[in-house]
Amino acid sequence: MTLDDLKARIDAIEEGYEFFLAYAAQGLAGDQAGKSGGQVREYLRGFEQALDGLAEAFRADLPGGDATDDALEVLRRDADASRALLRLVAAQPAVSSQLIDNLNASIHIRALLTDVFVLGEMVGV
C-alpha cells in the first residue's frame, strides 16, 4: 500500500465525518429527501470501506516495535467498532439527521478519528 492510498483512506474518513456534521445540522427525518439525503449512504459506505485494512495500511509507514504494534491494535479495535456502527446506521430504512448526529457523537468514531489524526501526523499525511 502506498502513502497515496493511505491518504485516500484518511481523506474518505475525514470527508465522511465532515459531511455527517453538516447532515446532522439539517434536521432531516430521513435520507429520502434532498440531495444530501441521497449522499449520506454514499458517505457511510465510503467511510466504512476506508476502514477495511486501515491498520495494515499504516503499518508500512510506521517504525516497528511494541509501541507501534500496540497503537495499531488500538486502531484496529476502534476501526472495527466504528465499522459496526456505520453498518448499523446504513442498514436502517431511513437515516435521519438525529441518527447521524448520534453516530458523530459515538466514542468509537471519535476515538477512531483521534487514532487516524495521530498516526497520520506520524507518517506525514
Side-chain angles (χ1 to χ4, degrees), residues 13 17 20 44 47-52 54 74-90 103-104 106-116:
I13 292 166
Y17 184 71
F20 297 157
L44 286 164
F47 196 134
E48 180 190 342
Q49 289 171 346
L51 298 180
D52 188 34
L54 183 62
V74 168
L75 173 61
R76 192 173 292 107
R77 286 191 312 259
D78 291 338
D80 288 346
S82 296
R83 187 181 305 110
L85 287 172
L86 290 161
R87 287 179 178 166
L88 179 63
V89 169
L103 175 67
N104 289 341
S106 163
I107 193 69
H108 302 295
I109 296 291
R110 292 182 179 265
L112 172 78
L113 291 171
T114 302
D115 298 344
V116 168

PDB file of all heavy atoms in Angstrom, residues 13 17 20 44 47-52 54 74-90 103-104 106-116:
ATOM      1  N   ILE A  13     -12.354   9.179   5.305  1.00  0.00           N
ATOM      2  CA  ILE A  13     -12.823   9.222   6.688  1.00  0.00           C
ATOM      3  C   ILE A  13     -13.135  10.669   7.087  1.00  0.00           C
ATOM      4  O   ILE A  13     -14.209  10.950   7.632  1.00  0.00           O
ATOM      5  CB  ILE A  13     -11.777   8.590   7.627  1.00  0.00           C
ATOM      6  CG1 ILE A  13     -11.685   7.080   7.358  1.00  0.00           C
ATOM      7  CG2 ILE A  13     -12.096   8.881   9.087  1.00  0.00           C
ATOM      8  CD1 ILE A  13     -10.465   6.415   7.974  1.00  0.00           C
ATOM      9  N   TYR A  17     -16.879  12.260   7.861  1.00  0.00           N
ATOM     10  CA  TYR A  17     -17.209  12.870   9.140  1.00  0.00           C
ATOM     11  C   TYR A  17     -17.690  14.311   8.950  1.00  0.00           C
ATOM     12  O   TYR A  17     -18.679  14.720   9.561  1.00  0.00           O
ATOM     13  CB  TYR A  17     -16.009  12.816  10.082  1.00  0.00           C
ATOM     14  CG  TYR A  17     -16.319  13.356  11.450  1.00  0.00           C
ATOM     15  CD1 TYR A  17     -17.147  12.644  12.323  1.00  0.00           C
ATOM     16  CD2 TYR A  17     -15.817  14.574  11.871  1.00  0.00           C
ATOM     17  CE1 TYR A  17     -17.454  13.143  13.581  1.00  0.00           C
ATOM     18  CE2 TYR A  17     -16.117  15.074  13.125  1.00  0.00           C
ATOM     19  CZ  TYR A  17     -16.938  14.361  13.977  1.00  0.00           C
ATOM     20  OH  TYR A  17     -17.235  14.861  15.213  1.00  0.00           O
ATOM     21  N   PHE A  20     -21.138  14.238   7.628  1.00  0.00           N
ATOM     22  CA  PHE A  20     -22.073  13.852   8.688  1.00  0.00           C
ATOM     23  C   PHE A  20     -22.392  15.026   9.605  1.00  0.00           C
ATOM     24  O   PHE A  20     -23.529  15.179  10.053  1.00  0.00           O
ATOM     25  CB  PHE A  20     -21.521  12.685   9.516  1.00  0.00           C
ATOM     26  CG  PHE A  20     -21.317  11.413   8.749  1.00  0.00           C
ATOM     27  CD1 PHE A  20     -20.419  10.464   9.206  1.00  0.00           C
ATOM     28  CD2 PHE A  20     -21.999  11.141   7.569  1.00  0.00           C
ATOM     29  CE1 PHE A  20     -20.222   9.285   8.518  1.00  0.00           C
ATOM     30  CE2 PHE A  20     -21.806   9.968   6.870  1.00  0.00           C
ATOM     31  CZ  PHE A  20     -20.906   9.032   7.344  1.00  0.00           C
ATOM     32  N   LEU A  44     -21.495   7.005   4.127  1.00  0.00           N
ATOM     33  CA  LEU A  44     -21.428   5.879   5.066  1.00  0.00           C
ATOM     34  C   LEU A  44     -20.613   4.735   4.460  1.00  0.00           C
ATOM     35  O   LEU A  44     -19.746   4.158   5.113  1.00  0.00           O
ATOM     36  CB  LEU A  44     -22.838   5.389   5.426  1.00  0.00           C
ATOM     37  CG  LEU A  44     -23.649   6.282   6.361  1.00  0.00           C
ATOM     38  CD1 LEU A  44     -25.120   5.889   6.326  1.00  0.00           C
ATOM     39  CD2 LEU A  44     -23.100   6.212   7.784  1.00  0.00           C
ATOM     40  N   PHE A  47     -16.827   5.739   4.065  1.00  0.00           N
ATOM     41  CA  PHE A  47     -16.183   5.744   5.376  1.00  0.00           C
ATOM     42  C   PHE A  47     -15.899   4.303   5.785  1.00  0.00           C
ATOM     43  O   PHE A  47     -14.771   3.975   6.192  1.00  0.00           O
ATOM     44  CB  PHE A  47     -17.121   6.426   6.377  1.00  0.00           C
ATOM     45  CG  PHE A  47     -16.506   6.854   7.682  1.00  0.00           C
ATOM     46  CD1 PHE A  47     -16.765   8.127   8.180  1.00  0.00           C
ATOM     47  CD2 PHE A  47     -15.739   6.006   8.446  1.00  0.00           C
ATOM     48  CE1 PHE A  47     -16.252   8.546   9.400  1.00  0.00           C
ATOM     49  CE2 PHE A  47     -15.221   6.402   9.669  1.00  0.00           C
ATOM     50  CZ  PHE A  47     -15.473   7.679  10.136  1.00  0.00           C
ATOM     51  N   GLU A  48     -16.898   3.451   5.663  1.00  0.00           N
ATOM     52  CA  GLU A  48     -16.728   2.045   6.046  1.00  0.00           C
ATOM     53  C   GLU A  48     -15.632   1.374   5.217  1.00  0.00           C
ATOM     54  O   GLU A  48     -14.785   0.661   5.764  1.00  0.00           O
ATOM     55  CB  GLU A  48     -18.042   1.285   5.872  1.00  0.00           C
ATOM     56  CG  GLU A  48     -17.919  -0.171   6.244  1.00  0.00           C
ATOM     57  CD  GLU A  48     -19.119  -1.008   5.861  1.00  0.00           C
ATOM     58  OE1 GLU A  48     -20.194  -0.457   5.604  1.00  0.00           O
ATOM     59  OE2 GLU A  48     -18.947  -2.233   5.799  1.00  0.00           O
ATOM     60  N   GLN A  49     -15.627   1.579   3.928  1.00  0.00           N
ATOM     61  CA  GLN A  49     -14.622   0.957   3.060  1.00  0.00           C
ATOM     62  C   GLN A  49     -13.213   1.428   3.409  1.00  0.00           C
ATOM     63  O   GLN A  49     -12.262   0.648   3.327  1.00  0.00           O
ATOM     64  CB  GLN A  49     -14.936   1.246   1.594  1.00  0.00           C
ATOM     65  CG  GLN A  49     -16.146   0.497   1.098  1.00  0.00           C
ATOM     66  CD  GLN A  49     -16.586   0.935  -0.288  1.00  0.00           C
ATOM     67  OE1 GLN A  49     -16.157   1.968  -0.804  1.00  0.00           O
ATOM     68  NE2 GLN A  49     -17.463   0.151  -0.890  1.00  0.00           N
ATOM     69  N   ALA A  50     -13.080   2.669   3.813  1.00  0.00           N
ATOM     70  CA  ALA A  50     -11.771   3.201   4.176  1.00  0.00           C
ATOM     71  C   ALA A  50     -11.208   2.517   5.422  1.00  0.00           C
ATOM     72  O   ALA A  50      -9.987   2.487   5.620  1.00  0.00           O
ATOM     73  CB  ALA A  50     -11.858   4.707   4.404  1.00  0.00           C
ATOM     74  N   LEU A  51     -12.071   1.950   6.243  1.00  0.00           N
ATOM     75  CA  LEU A  51     -11.630   1.308   7.484  1.00  0.00           C
ATOM     76  C   LEU A  51     -11.092  -0.100   7.264  1.00  0.00           C
ATOM     77  O   LEU A  51     -10.317  -0.602   8.082  1.00  0.00           O
ATOM     78  CB  LEU A  51     -12.788   1.250   8.484  1.00  0.00           C
ATOM     79  CG  LEU A  51     -13.345   2.594   8.933  1.00  0.00           C
ATOM     80  CD1 LEU A  51     -14.483   2.378   9.926  1.00  0.00           C
ATOM     81  CD2 LEU A  51     -12.258   3.467   9.521  1.00  0.00           C
ATOM     82  N   ASP A  52     -11.486  -0.728   6.177  1.00  0.00           N
ATOM     83  CA  ASP A  52     -11.071  -2.102   5.909  1.00  0.00           C
ATOM     84  C   ASP A  52      -9.558  -2.160   5.681  1.00  0.00           C
ATOM     85  O   ASP A  52      -9.050  -1.603   4.716  1.00  0.00           O
ATOM     86  CB  ASP A  52     -11.822  -2.648   4.692  1.00  0.00           C
ATOM     87  CG  ASP A  52     -11.565  -4.125   4.482  1.00  0.00           C
ATOM     88  OD1 ASP A  52     -11.409  -4.853   5.481  1.00  0.00           O
ATOM     89  OD2 ASP A  52     -11.519  -4.551   3.315  1.00  0.00           O
ATOM     90  N   LEU A  54      -7.265  -0.700   7.499  1.00  0.00           N
ATOM     91  CA  LEU A  54      -6.627   0.587   7.784  1.00  0.00           C
ATOM     92  C   LEU A  54      -5.359   0.423   8.621  1.00  0.00           C
ATOM     93  O   LEU A  54      -4.335   1.055   8.321  1.00  0.00           O
ATOM     94  CB  LEU A  54      -7.617   1.523   8.486  1.00  0.00           C
ATOM     95  CG  LEU A  54      -7.120   2.931   8.779  1.00  0.00           C
ATOM     96  CD1 LEU A  54      -6.773   3.660   7.474  1.00  0.00           C
ATOM     97  CD2 LEU A  54      -8.174   3.713   9.562  1.00  0.00           C
ATOM     98  N   VAL A  74      -4.933  -0.818  18.802  1.00  0.00           N
ATOM     99  CA  VAL A  74      -5.968   0.124  19.229  1.00  0.00           C
ATOM    100  C   VAL A  74      -6.730   0.638  18.007  1.00  0.00           C
ATOM    101  O   VAL A  74      -7.968   0.670  17.999  1.00  0.00           O
ATOM    102  CB  VAL A  74      -5.363   1.291  20.049  1.00  0.00           C
ATOM    103  CG1 VAL A  74      -6.383   2.409  20.251  1.00  0.00           C
ATOM    104  CG2 VAL A  74      -4.844   0.791  21.383  1.00  0.00           C
ATOM    105  N   LEU A  75      -6.009   1.024  16.968  1.00  0.00           N
ATOM    106  CA  LEU A  75      -6.642   1.485  15.729  1.00  0.00           C
ATOM    107  C   LEU A  75      -7.547   0.395  15.150  1.00  0.00           C
ATOM    108  O   LEU A  75      -8.674   0.676  14.740  1.00  0.00           O
ATOM    109  CB  LEU A  75      -5.585   1.899  14.705  1.00  0.00           C
ATOM    110  CG  LEU A  75      -6.106   2.245  13.312  1.00  0.00           C
ATOM    111  CD1 LEU A  75      -7.069   3.420  13.356  1.00  0.00           C
ATOM    112  CD2 LEU A  75      -4.941   2.518  12.367  1.00  0.00           C
ATOM    113  N   ARG A  76      -7.071  -0.834  15.140  1.00  0.00           N
ATOM    114  CA  ARG A  76      -7.861  -1.946  14.604  1.00  0.00           C
ATOM    115  C   ARG A  76      -9.175  -2.111  15.378  1.00  0.00           C
ATOM    116  O   ARG A  76     -10.241  -2.265  14.788  1.00  0.00           O
ATOM    117  CB  ARG A  76      -7.037  -3.236  14.654  1.00  0.00           C
ATOM    118  CG  ARG A  76      -7.615  -4.388  13.884  1.00  0.00           C
ATOM    119  CD  ARG A  76      -6.677  -5.585  13.841  1.00  0.00           C
ATOM    120  NE  ARG A  76      -5.487  -5.297  13.039  1.00  0.00           N
ATOM    121  CZ  ARG A  76      -4.255  -5.080  13.530  1.00  0.00           C
ATOM    122  NH1 ARG A  76      -4.023  -5.118  14.823  1.00  0.00           N
ATOM    123  NH2 ARG A  76      -3.246  -4.820  12.732  1.00  0.00           N
ATOM    124  N   ARG A  77      -9.097  -2.059  16.702  1.00  0.00           N
ATOM    125  CA  ARG A  77     -10.305  -2.190  17.525  1.00  0.00           C
ATOM    126  C   ARG A  77     -11.261  -1.020  17.297  1.00  0.00           C
ATOM    127  O   ARG A  77     -12.472  -1.222  17.168  1.00  0.00           O
ATOM    128  CB  ARG A  77      -9.944  -2.290  19.004  1.00  0.00           C
ATOM    129  CG  ARG A  77      -9.364  -3.628  19.408  1.00  0.00           C
ATOM    130  CD  ARG A  77      -9.277  -3.785  20.916  1.00  0.00           C
ATOM    131  NE  ARG A  77      -8.686  -2.648  21.601  1.00  0.00           N
ATOM    132  CZ  ARG A  77      -7.438  -2.587  22.044  1.00  0.00           C
ATOM    133  NH1 ARG A  77      -6.620  -3.595  21.866  1.00  0.00           N
ATOM    134  NH2 ARG A  77      -7.008  -1.519  22.684  1.00  0.00           N
ATOM    135  N   ASP A  78     -10.713   0.193  17.245  1.00  0.00           N
ATOM    136  CA  ASP A  78     -11.566   1.361  17.022  1.00  0.00           C
ATOM    137  C   ASP A  78     -12.196   1.321  15.631  1.00  0.00           C
ATOM    138  O   ASP A  78     -13.360   1.689  15.461  1.00  0.00           O
ATOM    139  CB  ASP A  78     -10.776   2.653  17.217  1.00  0.00           C
ATOM    140  CG  ASP A  78     -10.373   2.891  18.672  1.00  0.00           C
ATOM    141  OD1 ASP A  78     -11.028   2.319  19.578  1.00  0.00           O
ATOM    142  OD2 ASP A  78      -9.418   3.650  18.904  1.00  0.00           O
ATOM    143  N   ALA A  79     -11.446   0.864  14.642  1.00  0.00           N
ATOM    144  CA  ALA A  79     -11.984   0.740  13.285  1.00  0.00           C
ATOM    145  C   ALA A  79     -13.086  -0.309  13.240  1.00  0.00           C
ATOM    146  O   ALA A  79     -14.124  -0.101  12.598  1.00  0.00           O
ATOM    147  CB  ALA A  79     -10.873   0.403  12.296  1.00  0.00           C
ATOM    148  N   ASP A  80     -12.888  -1.432  13.926  1.00  0.00           N
ATOM    149  CA  ASP A  80     -13.919  -2.479  13.947  1.00  0.00           C
ATOM    150  C   ASP A  80     -15.204  -1.985  14.606  1.00  0.00           C
ATOM    151  O   ASP A  80     -16.304  -2.229  14.103  1.00  0.00           O
ATOM    152  CB  ASP A  80     -13.411  -3.731  14.674  1.00  0.00           C
ATOM    153  CG  ASP A  80     -12.382  -4.510  13.882  1.00  0.00           C
ATOM    154  OD1 ASP A  80     -12.233  -4.265  12.658  1.00  0.00           O
ATOM    155  OD2 ASP A  80     -11.705  -5.373  14.486  1.00  0.00           O
ATOM    156  N   ALA A  81     -15.067  -1.285  15.730  1.00  0.00           N
ATOM    157  CA  ALA A  81     -16.248  -0.759  16.424  1.00  0.00           C
ATOM    158  C   ALA A  81     -16.951   0.293  15.568  1.00  0.00           C
ATOM    159  O   ALA A  81     -18.185   0.303  15.465  1.00  0.00           O
ATOM    160  CB  ALA A  81     -15.850  -0.175  17.780  1.00  0.00           C
ATOM    161  N   SER A  82     -16.185   1.154  14.936  1.00  0.00           N
ATOM    162  CA  SER A  82     -16.772   2.181  14.069  1.00  0.00           C
ATOM    163  C   SER A  82     -17.454   1.562  12.865  1.00  0.00           C
ATOM    164  O   SER A  82     -18.546   1.980  12.468  1.00  0.00           O
ATOM    165  CB  SER A  82     -15.690   3.158  13.608  1.00  0.00           C
ATOM    166  OG  SER A  82     -15.155   3.860  14.708  1.00  0.00           O
ATOM    167  N   ARG A  83     -16.825   0.548  12.290  1.00  0.00           N
ATOM    168  CA  ARG A  83     -17.415  -0.134  11.131  1.00  0.00           C
ATOM    169  C   ARG A  83     -18.759  -0.751  11.505  1.00  0.00           C
ATOM    170  O   ARG A  83     -19.717  -0.659  10.728  1.00  0.00           O
ATOM    171  CB  ARG A  83     -16.466  -1.211  10.612  1.00  0.00           C
ATOM    172  CG  ARG A  83     -16.941  -1.828   9.310  1.00  0.00           C
ATOM    173  CD  ARG A  83     -16.036  -2.920   8.757  1.00  0.00           C
ATOM    174  NE  ARG A  83     -14.670  -2.488   8.573  1.00  0.00           N
ATOM    175  CZ  ARG A  83     -13.638  -2.915   9.316  1.00  0.00           C
ATOM    176  NH1 ARG A  83     -13.823  -3.781  10.283  1.00  0.00           N
ATOM    177  NH2 ARG A  83     -12.426  -2.477   9.074  1.00  0.00           N
ATOM    178  N   ALA A  84     -18.856  -1.328  12.683  1.00  0.00           N
ATOM    179  CA  ALA A  84     -20.115  -1.921  13.124  1.00  0.00           C
ATOM    180  C   ALA A  84     -21.209  -0.861  13.222  1.00  0.00           C
ATOM    181  O   ALA A  84     -22.346  -1.093  12.790  1.00  0.00           O
ATOM    182  CB  ALA A  84     -19.929  -2.625  14.473  1.00  0.00           C
ATOM    183  N   LEU A  85     -20.877   0.304  13.753  1.00  0.00           N
ATOM    184  CA  LEU A  85     -21.859   1.384  13.852  1.00  0.00           C
ATOM    185  C   LEU A  85     -22.256   1.912  12.479  1.00  0.00           C
ATOM    186  O   LEU A  85     -23.433   2.170  12.221  1.00  0.00           O
ATOM    187  CB  LEU A  85     -21.309   2.526  14.705  1.00  0.00           C
ATOM    188  CG  LEU A  85     -21.227   2.253  16.196  1.00  0.00           C
ATOM    189  CD1 LEU A  85     -20.500   3.382  16.896  1.00  0.00           C
ATOM    190  CD2 LEU A  85     -22.606   2.052  16.778  1.00  0.00           C
ATOM    191  N   LEU A  86     -21.282   2.091  11.594  1.00  0.00           N
ATOM    192  CA  LEU A  86     -21.576   2.576  10.246  1.00  0.00           C
ATOM    193  C   LEU A  86     -22.505   1.607   9.520  1.00  0.00           C
ATOM    194  O   LEU A  86     -23.453   2.032   8.852  1.00  0.00           O
ATOM    195  CB  LEU A  86     -20.275   2.760   9.455  1.00  0.00           C
ATOM    196  CG  LEU A  86     -19.404   3.923   9.914  1.00  0.00           C
ATOM    197  CD1 LEU A  86     -17.975   3.750   9.416  1.00  0.00           C
ATOM    198  CD2 LEU A  86     -19.979   5.252   9.464  1.00  0.00           C
ATOM    199  N   ARG A  87     -22.257   0.324   9.658  1.00  0.00           N
ATOM    200  CA  ARG A  87     -23.115  -0.686   9.018  1.00  0.00           C
ATOM    201  C   ARG A  87     -24.518  -0.667   9.610  1.00  0.00           C
ATOM    202  O   ARG A  87     -25.504  -0.806   8.875  1.00  0.00           O
ATOM    203  CB  ARG A  87     -22.506  -2.076   9.178  1.00  0.00           C
ATOM    204  CG  ARG A  87     -21.309  -2.309   8.315  1.00  0.00           C
ATOM    205  CD  ARG A  87     -20.744  -3.684   8.534  1.00  0.00           C
ATOM    206  NE  ARG A  87     -19.602  -3.914   7.660  1.00  0.00           N
ATOM    207  CZ  ARG A  87     -18.755  -4.894   7.814  1.00  0.00           C
ATOM    208  NH1 ARG A  87     -18.901  -5.766   8.799  1.00  0.00           N
ATOM    209  NH2 ARG A  87     -17.748  -5.026   6.985  1.00  0.00           N
ATOM    210  N   LEU A  88     -24.607  -0.517  10.906  1.00  0.00           N
ATOM    211  CA  LEU A  88     -25.910  -0.481  11.561  1.00  0.00           C
ATOM    212  C   LEU A  88     -26.721   0.719  11.073  1.00  0.00           C
ATOM    213  O   LEU A  88     -27.906   0.583  10.741  1.00  0.00           O
ATOM    214  CB  LEU A  88     -25.743  -0.418  13.084  1.00  0.00           C
ATOM    215  CG  LEU A  88     -27.024  -0.362  13.899  1.00  0.00           C
ATOM    216  CD1 LEU A  88     -27.839  -1.634  13.702  1.00  0.00           C
ATOM    217  CD2 LEU A  88     -26.700  -0.149  15.372  1.00  0.00           C
ATOM    218  N   VAL A  89     -26.096   1.882  11.006  1.00  0.00           N
ATOM    219  CA  VAL A  89     -26.791   3.077  10.526  1.00  0.00           C
ATOM    220  C   VAL A  89     -27.205   2.891   9.072  1.00  0.00           C
ATOM    221  O   VAL A  89     -28.343   3.179   8.692  1.00  0.00           O
ATOM    222  CB  VAL A  89     -25.916   4.336  10.711  1.00  0.00           C
ATOM    223  CG1 VAL A  89     -26.507   5.536   9.989  1.00  0.00           C
ATOM    224  CG2 VAL A  89     -25.746   4.642  12.204  1.00  0.00           C
ATOM    225  N   ALA A  90     -26.310   2.393   8.240  1.00  0.00           N
ATOM    226  CA  ALA A  90     -26.613   2.206   6.818  1.00  0.00           C
ATOM    227  C   ALA A  90     -27.733   1.195   6.598  1.00  0.00           C
ATOM    228  O   ALA A  90     -28.452   1.280   5.597  1.00  0.00           O
ATOM    229  CB  ALA A  90     -25.362   1.770   6.075  1.00  0.00           C
ATOM    230  N   LEU A 103     -24.379   9.151  15.698  1.00  0.00           N
ATOM    231  CA  LEU A 103     -23.199   8.457  15.184  1.00  0.00           C
ATOM    232  C   LEU A 103     -21.958   9.335  15.378  1.00  0.00           C
ATOM    233  O   LEU A 103     -20.922   8.855  15.844  1.00  0.00           O
ATOM    234  CB  LEU A 103     -23.393   8.123  13.697  1.00  0.00           C
ATOM    235  CG  LEU A 103     -22.198   7.501  12.982  1.00  0.00           C
ATOM    236  CD1 LEU A 103     -21.914   6.105  13.527  1.00  0.00           C
ATOM    237  CD2 LEU A 103     -22.457   7.440  11.478  1.00  0.00           C
ATOM    238  N   ASN A 104     -22.085  10.612  15.028  1.00  0.00           N
ATOM    239  CA  ASN A 104     -20.968  11.546  15.207  1.00  0.00           C
ATOM    240  C   ASN A 104     -20.503  11.599  16.654  1.00  0.00           C
ATOM    241  O   ASN A 104     -19.314  11.773  16.920  1.00  0.00           O
ATOM    242  CB  ASN A 104     -21.373  12.962  14.783  1.00  0.00           C
ATOM    243  CG  ASN A 104     -21.544  13.109  13.305  1.00  0.00           C
ATOM    244  OD1 ASN A 104     -21.060  12.316  12.526  1.00  0.00           O
ATOM    245  ND2 ASN A 104     -22.261  14.150  12.908  1.00  0.00           N
ATOM    246  N   SER A 106     -20.575   9.256  18.818  1.00  0.00           N
ATOM    247  CA  SER A 106     -20.091   7.965  19.308  1.00  0.00           C
ATOM    248  C   SER A 106     -18.628   8.050  19.730  1.00  0.00           C
ATOM    249  O   SER A 106     -17.779   8.563  19.000  1.00  0.00           O
ATOM    250  CB  SER A 106     -20.249   6.901  18.221  1.00  0.00           C
ATOM    251  OG  SER A 106     -19.451   5.777  18.523  1.00  0.00           O
ATOM    252  N   ILE A 107     -18.334   7.520  20.885  1.00  0.00           N
ATOM    253  CA  ILE A 107     -16.958   7.494  21.372  1.00  0.00           C
ATOM    254  C   ILE A 107     -16.072   6.671  20.439  1.00  0.00           C
ATOM    255  O   ILE A 107     -14.886   6.948  20.285  1.00  0.00           O
ATOM    256  CB  ILE A 107     -16.900   6.982  22.834  1.00  0.00           C
ATOM    257  CG1 ILE A 107     -15.531   7.251  23.445  1.00  0.00           C
ATOM    258  CG2 ILE A 107     -17.232   5.509  22.913  1.00  0.00           C
ATOM    259  CD1 ILE A 107     -15.254   8.696  23.686  1.00  0.00           C
ATOM    260  N   HIS A 108     -16.648   5.698  19.765  1.00  0.00           N
ATOM    261  CA  HIS A 108     -15.874   4.860  18.850  1.00  0.00           C
ATOM    262  C   HIS A 108     -15.425   5.665  17.623  1.00  0.00           C
ATOM    263  O   HIS A 108     -14.269   5.565  17.203  1.00  0.00           O
ATOM    264  CB  HIS A 108     -16.683   3.644  18.420  1.00  0.00           C
ATOM    265  CG  HIS A 108     -17.128   2.813  19.564  1.00  0.00           C
ATOM    266  ND1 HIS A 108     -16.248   2.140  20.383  1.00  0.00           N
ATOM    267  CD2 HIS A 108     -18.361   2.556  20.059  1.00  0.00           C
ATOM    268  CE1 HIS A 108     -16.914   1.503  21.319  1.00  0.00           C
ATOM    269  NE2 HIS A 108     -18.202   1.744  21.149  1.00  0.00           N
ATOM    270  N   ILE A 109     -16.332   6.442  17.067  1.00  0.00           N
ATOM    271  CA  ILE A 109     -15.985   7.272  15.912  1.00  0.00           C
ATOM    272  C   ILE A 109     -14.961   8.324  16.321  1.00  0.00           C
ATOM    273  O   ILE A 109     -13.968   8.554  15.619  1.00  0.00           O
ATOM    274  CB  ILE A 109     -17.244   7.948  15.313  1.00  0.00           C
ATOM    275  CG1 ILE A 109     -18.225   6.915  14.764  1.00  0.00           C
ATOM    276  CG2 ILE A 109     -16.859   8.991  14.258  1.00  0.00           C
ATOM    277  CD1 ILE A 109     -17.762   6.170  13.531  1.00  0.00           C
ATOM    278  N   ARG A 110     -15.158   8.939  17.455  1.00  0.00           N
ATOM    279  CA  ARG A 110     -14.220   9.970  17.913  1.00  0.00           C
ATOM    280  C   ARG A 110     -12.845   9.393  18.217  1.00  0.00           C
ATOM    281  O   ARG A 110     -11.817   9.997  17.894  1.00  0.00           O
ATOM    282  CB  ARG A 110     -14.783  10.708  19.117  1.00  0.00           C
ATOM    283  CG  ARG A 110     -15.990  11.546  18.706  1.00  0.00           C
ATOM    284  CD  ARG A 110     -16.547  12.339  19.868  1.00  0.00           C
ATOM    285  NE  ARG A 110     -17.663  13.120  19.428  1.00  0.00           N
ATOM    286  CZ  ARG A 110     -17.580  14.388  19.042  1.00  0.00           C
ATOM    287  NH1 ARG A 110     -16.425  14.995  19.026  1.00  0.00           N
ATOM    288  NH2 ARG A 110     -18.662  15.033  18.664  1.00  0.00           N
ATOM    289  N   ALA A 111     -12.810   8.201  18.819  1.00  0.00           N
ATOM    290  CA  ALA A 111     -11.524   7.547  19.083  1.00  0.00           C
ATOM    291  C   ALA A 111     -10.824   7.203  17.768  1.00  0.00           C
ATOM    292  O   ALA A 111      -9.612   7.400  17.637  1.00  0.00           O
ATOM    293  CB  ALA A 111     -11.733   6.289  19.925  1.00  0.00           C
ATOM    294  N   LEU A 112     -11.589   6.703  16.806  1.00  0.00           N
ATOM    295  CA  LEU A 112     -11.021   6.387  15.503  1.00  0.00           C
ATOM    296  C   LEU A 112     -10.407   7.631  14.864  1.00  0.00           C
ATOM    297  O   LEU A 112      -9.286   7.591  14.343  1.00  0.00           O
ATOM    298  CB  LEU A 112     -12.093   5.803  14.582  1.00  0.00           C
ATOM    299  CG  LEU A 112     -11.629   5.632  13.145  1.00  0.00           C
ATOM    300  CD1 LEU A 112     -10.762   4.403  13.001  1.00  0.00           C
ATOM    301  CD2 LEU A 112     -12.789   5.612  12.196  1.00  0.00           C
ATOM    302  N   LEU A 113     -11.137   8.739  14.883  1.00  0.00           N
ATOM    303  CA  LEU A 113     -10.620   9.976  14.296  1.00  0.00           C
ATOM    304  C   LEU A 113      -9.312  10.393  14.971  1.00  0.00           C
ATOM    305  O   LEU A 113      -8.351  10.784  14.298  1.00  0.00           O
ATOM    306  CB  LEU A 113     -11.653  11.096  14.413  1.00  0.00           C
ATOM    307  CG  LEU A 113     -12.902  10.929  13.557  1.00  0.00           C
ATOM    308  CD1 LEU A 113     -13.945  11.974  13.932  1.00  0.00           C
ATOM    309  CD2 LEU A 113     -12.574  10.995  12.081  1.00  0.00           C
ATOM    310  N   THR A 114      -9.274  10.292  16.284  1.00  0.00           N
ATOM    311  CA  THR A 114      -8.056  10.648  17.011  1.00  0.00           C
ATOM    312  C   THR A 114      -6.907   9.727  16.610  1.00  0.00           C
ATOM    313  O   THR A 114      -5.792  10.194  16.349  1.00  0.00           O
ATOM    314  CB  THR A 114      -8.295  10.591  18.533  1.00  0.00           C
ATOM    315  OG1 THR A 114      -9.359  11.486  18.855  1.00  0.00           O
ATOM    316  CG2 THR A 114      -7.045  10.985  19.295  1.00  0.00           C
ATOM    317  N   ASP A 115      -7.164   8.433  16.535  1.00  0.00           N
ATOM    318  CA  ASP A 115      -6.140   7.479  16.101  1.00  0.00           C
ATOM    319  C   ASP A 115      -5.593   7.872  14.731  1.00  0.00           C
ATOM    320  O   ASP A 115      -4.382   7.914  14.515  1.00  0.00           O
ATOM    321  CB  ASP A 115      -6.707   6.057  15.982  1.00  0.00           C
ATOM    322  CG  ASP A 115      -7.219   5.471  17.272  1.00  0.00           C
ATOM    323  OD1 ASP A 115      -6.895   5.991  18.359  1.00  0.00           O
ATOM    324  OD2 ASP A 115      -7.977   4.476  17.193  1.00  0.00           O
ATOM    325  N   VAL A 116      -6.508   8.131  13.812  1.00  0.00           N
ATOM    326  CA  VAL A 116      -6.118   8.451  12.432  1.00  0.00           C
ATOM    327  C   VAL A 116      -5.319   9.747  12.389  1.00  0.00           C
ATOM    328  O   VAL A 116      -4.311   9.839  11.681  1.00  0.00           O
ATOM    329  CB  VAL A 116      -7.356   8.509  11.522  1.00  0.00           C
ATOM    330  CG1 VAL A 116      -7.050   9.124  10.174  1.00  0.00           C
ATOM    331  CG2 VAL A 116      -7.943   7.104  11.343  1.00  0.00           C
TER     332      VAL A 116
END
